[in-house]
């Protein structure tokens, strides 16, 4: 016997992966240069040189038994100290190593956090996020046995709609998941909106008599272009947990490294932290990979060269607008959210395949009528793809 739920997750991979795999086949058939694959968010910029230098240094100059050995369950103490110090210096917080739990990336950070915040005794538990959202949230929430609820975002700016959230909050709400800069829209939540959100949650916590945690999923925190400010939510709302990852900021998605930061302003912060440790333990997410923990401790504050993404964004968004596409203005991350040229975004994405352009219909992200175009690709591929985008628009009588 097997778990039917786990079977169905394994047997039907995400739409993003599906299109990515289709792209690999097409490239083998037609040649790499003839397929314009905008399906996946795999960074196209190398990690900073310092990352390589630290890896070499550690491998050459450390006791390898210690270097490759288990760290303590929540992560190496010195690494956690380096991270809490960096967060404090950057955001004016007052965290220590006892607020940081090292993980295998944001996916693990979220899975652990959601599990830790789902009480065992309640008959019903709910987590709310704003659509469009990263599709795996639903998987993580449902895996914890909780219900996945969505609220709207503004249809122009894609800012979270806090009035809609108010309608969705219930005494069973355990947490709100936010993601800024956002995958798939690139929207950065404004300070005003974070303040509105935190005022609402404070009011509802008082009304319900228990915490409603704010879970801030932040793999794109540093990927902002222009002067958009990415507010540190712990500074606005006490009951905050940050789920961070180095996958995008340091271009290390395959190394699986990130952390959970529990706010020291949570009334029972140590209990919350220990339930994070317990959730990590229960799922086998202990001792995040040792070598890369030690590397990132020495690379705090560094990022890959994100000017490359800004250039890509400007070239692609500029050209698509010129051809008549409607492009949501992205302030961060590395995705364009583009209105579908027909009402069914799935049909639009299928038609684009005929031009060898691969992107993801927005239905996967919980809204209809858009597609997500990942621009963490080479500038050269973007430039090569432009005539195909133009032809695709023309096939709809646009441009
Ligand atoms: N959250 C969002 C919004 C993402 O886009 C991703 C990956 O693309 C993740 C979480 C998972 O990140 P990680 O690779 O660090 O597990």
């Amino acid at each position: 016997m097997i778990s039917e739920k786990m079977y169905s997750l394994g047997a039907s991979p995400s739409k993003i992966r599906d299109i990515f795999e289709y792209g690999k086949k097409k490239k083998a058939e037609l040649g790499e240069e003839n397929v314009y694959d905008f399906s996946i968010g795999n960074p196209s910029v190398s990690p900073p040189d310092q990352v390589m230098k630290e890896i070499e240094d550690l491998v050459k100059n450390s006791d390898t038994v210690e270097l490759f050995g288990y760290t303590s369950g929540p992560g190496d103490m010195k690494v956690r100290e380096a991270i809490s110090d960096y967060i404090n210096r950057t955001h004016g917080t007052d965290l220590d190593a006892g607020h940081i739990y090292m993980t295998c990336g944001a996916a693990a950070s979220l899975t652990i956090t959601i599990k830790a915040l789902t009480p065992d005794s309640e008959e019903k538990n709910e987590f709310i996020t704003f659509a469009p959202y990263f599709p795996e949230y639903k998987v993580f929430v449902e895996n914890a046995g909780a219900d996945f609820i969505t609220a709207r975002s503004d249809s122009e700016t894609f800012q979270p709609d806090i009035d809609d959230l108010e309608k969705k909050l219930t005494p069973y709400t355990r947490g709100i998941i936010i993601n800024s800069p956002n995958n798939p829209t690139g929207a950065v939540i404004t300070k005003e909106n974070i303040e509105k959100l935190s005022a609402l949650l404070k009011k509802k916590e008082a009304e319900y008599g228990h915490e409603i945690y704010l879970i801030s999923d932040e793999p794109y925190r540093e990927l902002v272009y222009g002067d958009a400010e990415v507010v540190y939510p712990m500074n606005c709302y006490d009951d905050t947990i940050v789920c961070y990852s180095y996958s995008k900021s340091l271009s290390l998605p395959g190394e699986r490294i990130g952390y959970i930061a529990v706010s020291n302003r949570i009334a029972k912060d140590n209990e919350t932290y220990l339930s994070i440790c317990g959730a990590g333990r229960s799922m086998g997410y202990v001792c995040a990979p040792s070598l890369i923990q030690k590397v990132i401790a020495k690379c705090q504050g560094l990022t890959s060269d994100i000017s490359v993404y800004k250039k890509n964004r400007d070239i692609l968004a500029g050209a698509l607008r010129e051809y008549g596409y409607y492009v949501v203005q992205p302030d961060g991350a590395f995705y364009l959210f583009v209105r579908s040229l027909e009402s069914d975004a799935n049909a639009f994405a299928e038609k684009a395949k005929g031009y060898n352009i691969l992107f993801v219909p927005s239905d996967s992200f919980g809204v209809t009528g858009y597609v997500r175009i990942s621009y963490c690709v080479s500038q050269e591929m973007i430039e090569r793809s432009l005539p195909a985008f133009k032809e695709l628009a023309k096939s709809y009588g646009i441009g």
Side-chain angles (χ1 to χ4, degrees), residues 41 104-108 110 134 137 140 179 181-183 217 219-220 244-248 253 256-257 335 372:
C104 295
L110 288 159
F134 178 58
Y137 292 165
F140 302 156
N179 171 222
N182 181 268
N183 174 10
D217 177 27
Y220 303 97
Y244 185 83
S245 160
Y246 297 91
S247 292
K248 319 288 174 167
R256 315 306 300 133
I257 191 75
Y335 307 103
R372 186 196 77 170

Side-chain angles (χ1 to χ4, degrees), residues 165-182:
L165 174 66
E166 182 158 14
K167 294 182 203 146
K168 305 289 167 62
L169 287 164
T170 74
Y172 303 109
T173 308
R174 307 296 166 220
I176 312 297
I177 307 169
I178 56 170
N179 171 222
S180 172
N182 181 268

Side-chain angles (χ1 to χ4, degrees), residues 5 78-79 84 87 108 139 169 187 221 259 291 314 343 350:
K5 264 197 226 158
K78 286 205 181 96
V79 172
S84 58
I87 299 174
V139 178
L169 287 164
R221 164 163 286 281
Y259 63 77
L291 167 65
D314 293 345
S343 56
E350 278 306 308

Side-chain angles (χ1 to χ4, degrees), residues 1-311:
M1 298 238 291
I2 53 167
S3 155
E4 285 304 319
K5 264 197 226 158
M6 295 304 126
Y7 170 78
S8 75
L9 281 175
S12 52
S14 79
K15 186 85 182 165
I16 302 173
R17 290 268 156 198
D18 214 27
I19 299 172
F20 180 59
E21 292 305 324
Y22 169 89
K24 281 201 215 162
K25 272 195 219 133
K26 272 284 167 200
K27 284 176 197 167
E29 199 182 301
L30 302 176
E32 285 274 333
E33 67 288 0
N34 297 316
V35 181
Y36 315 118
D37 184 356
F38 296 96
S39 61
I40 205 163
N42 217 355
S44 54
V45 178
S46 300
D49 291 345
Q50 181 85 8
V51 168
M52 307 307 170
K53 192 182 147 302
E54 295 300 345
I55 292 173
E56 275 171 31
D57 244 38
L58 281 161
V59 171
K60 272 193 204 141
N61 302 321
S62 313
D63 169 354
T64 45
V65 171
E66 200 233 306
L67 181 62
F68 296 115
Y70 289 124
T71 65
S72 61
D76 181 271
M77 181 58 95
K78 286 205 181 96
V79 172
R80 291 187 285 139
E81 270 166 10
I83 292 172
S84 58
D85 285 353
Y86 174 73
I87 299 174
N88 293 340
R89 275 200 312 279
T90 312
H91 303 295
T93 47
D94 198 11
L95 305 180
D96 59 43
H99 296 104
I100 307 293
Y101 186 94
M102 300 307 298
T103 65
C104 295
S109 302
L110 288 159
T111 317
I112 294 170
T113 301
I114 292 164
K115 177 83 177 159
L117 302 183
T118 304
D120 320 293
S121 57
E122 301 296 330
E123 54 190 34
K124 195 155 95 155
N125 298 297
E126 296 172 339
F127 288 84
I128 309 179
T129 196
F130 296 91
Y133 54 80
F134 178 58
E136 298 304 287
Y137 292 165
K138 186 168 188 294
V139 178
F140 302 156
V141 167
E142 290 178 352
N143 191 45
D147 294 330
F148 180 68
I149 312 287
T150 59
R152 276 202 312 258
S153 297
D154 181 90
S155 58
E156 288 293 313
T157 60
F158 285 94
Q159 287 292 313
D161 182 337
I162 309 304
D163 298 329
D164 192 47
L165 174 66
E166 182 158 14
K167 294 182 203 146
K168 305 289 167 62
L169 287 164
T170 74
Y172 303 109
T173 308
R174 307 296 166 220
I176 312 297
I177 307 169
I178 56 170
N179 171 222
S180 172
N182 181 268
N183 174 10
T185 65
V188 172
I189 307 178
T190 61
K191 186 157 196 246
E192 191 192 359
N193 225 10
I194 290 272
E195 282 168 355
K196 190 170 172 186
L197 170 64
S198 63
L200 171 65
L201 295 185
K202 274 178 207 162
K203 183 180 90 174
K204 288 292 183 178
E205 283 192 329
E207 186 184 322
Y208 299 150
H210 59 73
E211 299 87 355
I212 303 172
Y213 292 95
L214 183 60
I215 303 167
S216 184
D217 177 27
E218 306 197 348
Y220 303 97
R221 164 163 286 281
E222 292 82 8
L223 274 66
V224 273
Y225 318 111
D227 45 14
E229 181 196 357
V230 187
V231 174
Y232 204 62
M234 269 184 204
N235 290 332
C236 294
Y237 184 68
D238 289 350
D239 292 328
T240 295
I241 297 180
V242 170
C243 292
Y244 185 83
S245 160
Y246 297 91
S247 292
K248 319 288 174 167
S249 59
L250 290 179
S251 303
L252 293 172
E255 289 305 310
R256 315 306 300 133
I257 191 75
Y259 63 77
I260 299 165
V262 175
S263 174
N264 64 310
R265 296 199 204 163
I266 293 175
K268 292 182 181 163
D269 58 339
N270 192 44
E271 279 180 24
T272 308
Y273 182 75
L274 290 177
S275 68
I276 296 276
C277 296
R281 179 182 167 198
S282 77
M283 292 184 285
Y285 275 139
V286 288
C287 311
S290 169
L291 167 65
I292 204 72
Q293 278 193 51
K294 287 161 188 155
V295 171
I296 57 97
K298 304 205 172 196
C299 296
Q300 292 300 299
L302 297 181
T303 64
S304 305
D305 180 5
I306 61 165
S307 70
V308 173
Y309 300 134
K310 180 178 185 305
K311 206 163 171 199

